[in-house]
């Protein structure tokens, strides 16, 4: 029974650490791209989150959600526990749901066997738009944002997530390419 939980626990832990680490680096070194609280015009952590969820599935979504609890800052101190938990869950599971829908729409199977580099930008765009819609819908339903800014915030978040995903995916591709061995 213990063996059954080892791999999911590793995926959860690695996803949480990667999410928190890249989020903190993004906040420290890229504050210039901040558009509004929670919305960056280039949000590289969204790309790391996408890669984690592509590889680790729902367990990576759990890890991102748990990592988001760690990132809860002073603005969360006045919120109720249920609201904080909903926001943390949203950060992992909204992108997961958007990814599942994007994979289905692009015809990529669950095992990612037919994932091609050409489909990654389309999938990234679908995840960015879908996740941003779900995030901002939750924020508005919880009263954290005004409905009048819904479209503006959703578009800004989607653009930042998409650009961050492209940066992370290209960086991952280049890293993998550098380790690729030439054929004999």
């Amino acid at each position: 029974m213990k063996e059954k939980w080892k791999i999911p626990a590793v995926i959860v832990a690695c996803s949480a650490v990667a999410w928190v680490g890249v989020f903190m680096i993004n906040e420290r070194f890229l504050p210039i791209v901040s558009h509004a609280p929670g919305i960056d015009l280039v949000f590289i952590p969204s790309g790391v989150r996408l890669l984690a969820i592509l590889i680790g599935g729902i367990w990576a979504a759990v890890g991102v959600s748990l990592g988001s609890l760690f990132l809860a800052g002073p603005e969360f101190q006045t919120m109720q526990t249920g609201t904080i938990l909903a926001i943390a869950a949203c950060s992992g599971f909204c992108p997961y749901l958007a990814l599942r829908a994007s994979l289905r729409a692009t015809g990529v199977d669950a095992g990612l066997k037919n994932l091609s580099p050409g489909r990654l930008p389309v999938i990234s765009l679908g995840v960015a738009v879908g996740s941003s819609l779900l995030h901002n819908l939750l924020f508005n339903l919880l009263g954290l944002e005004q409905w009048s800014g819904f479209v503006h915030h959703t578009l800004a978040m989607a653009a930042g997530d998409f650009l961050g995903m492209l940066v992370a995916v290209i960086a991952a591709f280049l890293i993998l390419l550098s380790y690729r061995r030439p054929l004999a």
Side-chain angles (χ1 to χ4, degrees):
M1 185 70 168
K2 284 185 179 181
E3 295 295 321
K4 181 179 177 182
W5 291 101
K6 273 188 179 179
I7 291 179
V10 169
I11 293 170
V12 168
C14 289
S15 299
V17 168
W19 171 250
V20 169
V22 173
F23 189 95
M24 292 174 85
I25 290 169
N26 193 79
E27 291 293 306
R28 173 83 170 125
F29 295 108
L30 293 175
I32 193 168
V33 296
S34 180
H35 172 70
I39 301 173
D40 290 350
L41 297 178
V42 178
F43 191 58
I44 296 171
S46 66
V48 171
R49 177 177 58 196
L50 172 65
L51 292 171
I53 294 172
L54 265 171
I55 296 165
I58 197 151
W59 293 111
V62 170
V64 169
S65 296
L66 291 174
S68 293
L69 285 175
F70 176 80
L71 293 170
E75 67 273 9
F76 287 89
Q77 291 176 356
T78 59
M79 293 182 189
Q80 295 179 343
T81 304
T83 302
I84 295 169
L85 292 173
I87 293 169
C90 180
S91 67
F93 289 100
C94 288
Y96 174 79
L97 293 172
L99 174 63
R100 301 300 303 158
S102 295
L103 290 175
R104 177 171 274 202
T106 57
V108 176
D109 63 11
L112 305 177
K113 289 179 178 68
N114 60 342
L115 178 64
S116 65
R119 290 182 177 166
L120 269 175
V122 175
I123 292 168
S124 296
L125 182 62
V127 173
V129 170
S131 178
S132 298
L133 277 169
L134 293 172
H135 269 92
N136 285 295
L137 181 62
L138 175 70
F139 294 163
N140 281 276
L141 290 173
L142 291 173
L144 301 174
E145 289 181 4
Q146 298 297 318
W147 285 102
S148 60
F150 178 78
V151 172
H152 177 71
H153 287 147
T154 300
L155 290 175
M157 184 182 277
D161 281 3
F162 178 66
L163 292 174
M165 287 177 198
L166 287 181
V167 168
V169 166
I170 290 169
F173 178 75
L174 291 174
I175 290 168
L176 290 173
L177 193 61
S178 71
Y179 285 106
R180 186 175 180 189
R181 296 182 185 186
L183 296 173

